[in-house]
Amino acid sequence: MSKCHSSRQLIRHGADSAKSSSGFSLIELMVAMVLGLIVVSGVISVFLANQRTYRTNQALSDVQDGSRIAFEMMARDIREAGLTGCNNNGRVANVLNNKGTAWWADWGNAVHGYGAGTAADPALTVGTAATNQVSGTDSLQLLGAADSGLSVAATPSSTAANFKLNDKTSDIVTGDVIIVCDPDHAAIAQVTNYNNSNVTLVHNAGGSTSPGNCSKGLAYPTNCSSPNGNGYKFGPNSQIFKLAAVDWYIGYNPLGGKSLYRMNVVTTAGVPQPTAQEMVRNVTGMAILYHQAGVDSFVDAQTVAANWGAVDAVQVQLTVESVNKRAGTNAKPITRQFTATSTVRNRVQ
């Protein structure tokens, strides 16, 4: 009996050993692989969905940030359009020789827009080269006073073509266009010389600068019939500002895309030169409407016609595109339109 029992145990042990060494069957391996692929596919699907959501949210954030920056910068220029720094009584003497020909010297149109149905913006070139204006988009010219923190210390006489400043400065150079004002009126002239050692600013008539001044007299109203014009003595602490002349438009950037540009007049080698600066990239369109005093609705530039002095608010609509050009669900850029309204401060009663 003992020998038979031992034999049976040996046979059973050998069978168990053979079964344990046989491994998984093909069917078991295939089932395991399928289950593994399902799990991996689910993980990849979740990862790709999260990545797509992140790209979309990031693109929307970029679009919103771009529009916010654009509106903040434009609104500042719109609000300050027509401001002289001292008053808003409309009494402005302009002795610049090109006040009737250069857009940036035309103080009578401190707010001036261009769009469908109007003449072309004289400051811009429509085309496809870098800094060229995109065809079919609106533009907006704005003139105002840029704060410089300067003031008059003394004026020798009403017929003098100079005055001393209270402080030395490196912000004023020969050729700059300035606005000097007091409660009576403001005057726009070009600096024909600035001497920092004796803090004297000269605004003489003649051809020493371009475009130059038609007279040295800064009284209101403007008199260009003689080099002396109408004399006026700006008293101590009269304010001095640099002329801020800008033109907002949509232009092509160096990469071939579209951006919001700001044309700014900068003195270069003694001559005021309009200089384009890219402000916000991926702004692809701009449409502008204007509100006039006594009118209930906003109208386009063509409807405003020649009555730009009555514009007291500007409504700007920007079309902004995402930086990621495949961020949308259709593998295209995300595009949004934003609208903001700004008032022209010195024209709002």
Side-chain angles (χ1 to χ4, degrees):
M1 288 294 292
S2 61
K3 291 182 178 180
C4 292
H5 180 72
S6 299
S7 298
R8 285 197 297 270
Q9 286 181 332
L10 289 172
I11 293 171
R12 188 180 301 112
H13 178 72
D16 292 341
S17 299
K19 183 177 180 180
S20 62
S21 63
S22 64
F24 294 103
S25 68
L26 179 61
I27 294 176
E28 291 173 331
L29 287 173
M30 292 180 67
V31 170
M33 290 177 64
V34 170
L35 292 175
L37 288 174
I38 292 174
V39 173
V40 172
S41 298
V43 172
I44 293 175
S45 177
V46 171
F47 173 77
L48 292 176
N50 288 338
Q51 188 180 54
R52 186 163 51 249
T53 300
Y54 172 79
R55 285 200 304 264
T56 301
N57 290 335
Q58 183 64 44
L60 286 171
S61 177
D62 291 341
V63 167
Q64 292 171 347
D65 287 344
S67 65
R68 187 181 302 112
I69 294 171
F71 283 131
E72 285 180 358
M73 292 188 295
M74 287 192 70
R76 181 174 55 200
D77 285 341
I78 293 171
R79 289 193 297 265
E80 295 177 355
L83 286 175
T84 63
C86 295
N87 56 65
N88 62 349
N89 59 16
R91 292 167 56 88
V92 179
N94 188 347
V95 299
L96 295 176
N97 281 323
N98 65 342
K99 57 181 175 290
T101 57
W103 67 270
W104 54 265
D106 185 13
W107 187 263
N109 287 313
V111 178
H112 196 162
Y114 296 86
T118 71
D121 189 329
L124 306 177
T125 300
V126 177
T128 57
T131 73
N132 282 176
Q133 183 185 16
V134 176
S135 177
T137 58
D138 293 356
S139 61
L140 176 62
Q141 295 175 358
L142 303 164
L143 276 65
D147 188 15
S148 62
L150 301 175
S151 59
V152 175
T155 303
S157 69
S158 61
T159 58
N162 65 84
F163 39 77
K164 291 186 177 296
L165 307 186
N166 279 315
D167 299 293
K168 293 184 177 181
T169 180
S170 58
D171 292 335
I172 296 293
V173 297
T174 298
D176 278 346
V177 177
I178 62 167
I179 300 173
V180 56
C181 67
D182 64 13
D184 181 76
H185 75 282
I188 301 174
Q190 186 176 30
V191 178
T192 56
N193 182 264
Y194 174 68
N195 189 326
N196 206 30
S197 61
N198 59 13
V199 206
T200 300
L201 185 153
V202 182
H203 53 89
N204 216 337
S208 61
T209 56
S210 178
N213 303 312
C214 65
S215 77
K216 64 180 181 179
L218 301 182
Y220 180 85
T222 306
N223 180 5
C224 287
S225 60
S226 70
N228 290 329
N230 290 334
Y232 185 81
K233 184 176 181 179
F234 280 99
N237 298 320
S238 296
Q239 299 299 299
I240 300 172
F241 305 89
K242 293 179 70 171
L243 176 70
V246 301
D247 193 336
W248 288 92
Y249 69 99
I250 304 299
Y252 287 99
N253 59 48
L255 299 180
K258 299 173 183 176
S259 300
L260 178 65
Y261 275 84
R262 182 179 186 261
M263 182 79 75
N264 185 33
V265 176
V266 179
T267 302
T268 304
V271 180
Q273 298 284 356
T275 304
Q277 181 179 6
E278 184 184 10
M279 305 304 290
V280 182
R281 188 158 289 185
N282 296 307
V283 181
T284 61
M286 179 165 66
I288 307 175
L289 298 176
Y290 306 89
H291 183 270
Q292 297 168 285
V295 179
D296 293 334
S297 59
F298 283 82
V299 298
D300 59 16
Q302 184 180 18
T303 305
V304 174
N307 195 22
W308 289 102
V311 171
D312 57 12
V314 180
Q315 185 179 90
V316 180
Q317 182 186 78
L318 296 178
T319 302
V320 187
E321 190 176 88
S322 63
V323 176
N324 189 334
K325 303 308 178 186
R326 298 177 62 84
T329 55
N330 55 356
K332 292 183 178 181
I334 290 178
T335 302
R336 294 289 186 271
Q337 288 185 332
F338 302 91
T339 303
T341 302
S342 303
T343 56
V344 183
R345 284 179 175 173
N346 70 318
R347 297 183 181 180
V348 177
Q349 302 298 325

